[in-house]
Amino acid sequence: MARKPERSRARRKRAWDEMSDTDRQVLLETVRQRREMQAVQDAHRLQMLTQR
């Protein structure tokens, strides 16, 4: 089934658009912390693998 081209992305509402500025900041900070934690874990795993 083909998509309807007349339905542009610009007209779609996103959850992000519905959020308050405070909620957006909290979400962005949570994502930043999660990525930072993941980077630390990845670095630790890489270090453990290179020591073998």
Side-chain angles (χ1 to χ4, degrees):
M1 187 185 287
R3 290 185 171 194
K4 296 181 181 180
E6 67 270 7
R7 206 169 193 188
S8 71
R9 288 181 175 223
R11 288 188 273 160
R12 292 185 201 165
K13 285 278 186 172
R14 301 280 184 198
W16 179 263
D17 298 330
E18 303 287 328
M19 295 174 82
S20 69
D21 288 338
T22 304
D23 289 338
R24 289 179 189 174
Q25 292 302 317
V26 169
L27 180 61
L28 289 172
E29 180 63 20
T30 303
V31 170
R32 186 192 67 75
Q33 288 176 358
R34 186 181 317 141
R35 288 180 179 166
E36 186 177 298
M37 185 183 303
Q38 186 64 51
V40 169
Q41 289 173 348
D42 290 347
H44 179 71
R45 288 185 183 119
L46 183 61
Q47 183 182 18
M48 295 302 288
L49 286 172
T50 57
Q51 288 179 358
R52 290 184 179 183

